[in-house]
Amino acid sequence: ADQKDSGAEKSHLGFVKRNKKVIMMEKTLILKHISGMLCLLISYSKFTRTRNREILRIKILYYILDEKGHGRNYMRTEVKKEAKRILVICLAALLMAANIKTFVRTGGLYPGGATGLTILIQRVGEMFFHVTIPYTVVNLILNAIPVYIGFRYIGKKFTMYSCLMIVLTSVLTDLIPGTAITYDTLLISIFGGMLNGLAISMCLAVDATSGGTDFIAIYFSEKKGVDSFNAVLLLNVVILTLAGILFGFDKALYSIIFQYASTQVLHVLYKKYQQQTLFIVTGRPREVCEAIYQISHHGATILEGEGSFEHCQRNVVYSVVDGSKSKKVIQAVRKVDEKAFINEMKTQQLTGHFYQKPAD
């Protein structure tokens, strides 16, 4: 009996020791959680704007749900995302600077926005005052007000990356030697405009901008929830009119072709402020709605209908999503229901609350 008691006592002591170790590990893990959360909450208290608070709230939730409890996966993802962002911006700046020195200057065109106004001021200095003005100086001065609008109303990180794009483009434009690929002004207008639209789209895809009127377009797009880049095209008419009066309207008219080609490429590649309407006939409406929300963070409406051929009940899911997310949404719906019948239409105008992911 004494041996049994001593054995039971030893096993109990071992169990207690193991439990103490587990408790200590849990306390350490909890302390790490608390310290990490405090850092995030301190940052949260410093954010005054609702848009930035929403972004940080998502980060806090991600931290809580992290399996390891240290936020390491989140940090790795963030580092990769920021590295990709910087790389794309550098490539876009190089492309835009090369486009200015090869196509724009060779054709004597005016791209519009801050870039076009900078080139116009440079040519006025050369033609009328015989002074060579550095592209960097003029471009940075002209972007001062748009950058303020970005910091004040759009997002600080968004504006910081946009400043990187502006500075890199300006410096590279002054450093890269001019090379003429062709002297055909029409070809220069078309292909130069396409390259310009590609460079701007690359920036916008990683939440940055090339500066100038793009800041204004994004500001109105977020305020009104509509694509404002066509309005920017109208604002550029003023610059082209002034250029036409000073240097002749033939180059100004070719510049309109340049800007039109740029705007069309931008519409094809960048669809954040364009909406797509989806009508989905499916036998699994609840799962389809969940898939739509998981991808786009947009809700959906389930409509009850009747098939005209078989006269059986059909469910139709109606939803409006971002143009940039529509393909992913359709792929997710296909995974949920392979037999779903999907009709996708471009939304011309939308009135009411429509969620847009805010710029950081």
Side-chain angles (χ1 to χ4, degrees), residues 14-145:
F15 176 76
V16 170
K17 287 180 180 178
R18 284 194 300 272
N19 265 3
K20 284 183 178 179
K21 287 182 179 179
V22 171
I23 290 168
M24 288 298 295
M25 289 174 66
E26 287 178 348
K27 284 182 177 179
T28 305
L29 189 61
I30 289 168
L31 286 172
K32 287 181 178 179
H33 265 298
I34 292 170
S35 61
M37 288 296 297
L38 281 173
C39 292
L40 287 171
L41 288 170
I42 290 168
S43 300
Y44 181 82
S45 65
K46 292 179 180 179
F47 280 69
T48 55
R49 292 173 60 234
T50 305
R51 183 182 291 114
N52 286 339
R53 283 185 177 232
E54 183 179 344
I55 294 167
L56 197 57
R57 193 181 298 120
I58 293 169
K59 292 182 180 180
I60 293 171
L61 289 173
Y62 192 98
Y63 184 90
I64 294 170
L65 296 173
D66 189 8
E67 292 179 359
K68 294 185 178 180
H70 305 297
R72 291 177 182 173
N73 292 339
Y74 173 75
M75 291 303 295
R76 284 197 210 100
T77 305
E78 281 294 295
V79 169
K80 288 180 181 178
K81 179 183 175 183
E82 299 306 319
K84 177 186 173 184
R85 205 170 176 180
I86 292 171
L87 178 61
V88 172
I89 289 170
C90 291
L91 291 174
L94 179 61
L95 178 61
M96 183 166 284
N99 186 39
I100 291 170
K101 295 304 287 282
T102 54
F103 286 106
V104 175
R105 289 197 184 279
T106 304
L109 304 179
Y110 305 93
T115 302
L117 191 55
T118 300
I119 293 172
L120 179 60
I121 291 171
Q122 282 187 301
R123 287 179 182 164
V124 168
E126 291 172 0
M127 293 289 292
F128 298 101
F129 301 100
H130 306 289
V131 176
T132 302
I133 306 172
Y135 181 92
T136 302
V137 174
V138 181
N139 196 42
L140 293 181
I141 292 172
L142 291 177
N143 275 287
I145 294 176

Side-chain angles (χ1 to χ4, degrees), residues 157-195:
K157 188 184 285 187
F158 173 88
T159 308
M160 288 298 295
Y161 280 111
S162 300
C163 288
L164 174 63
M165 174 67 182
I166 294 166
V167 173
L168 279 176
T169 303
S170 302
V171 173
L172 289 172
T173 302
D174 284 332
L175 293 178
I176 294 175
T179 305
I181 295 176
T182 177
Y183 292 97
D184 188 320
T185 311
L186 182 59
L187 290 176
I188 289 172
S189 302
I190 295 172
F191 288 99
M194 292 173 67
L195 289 176

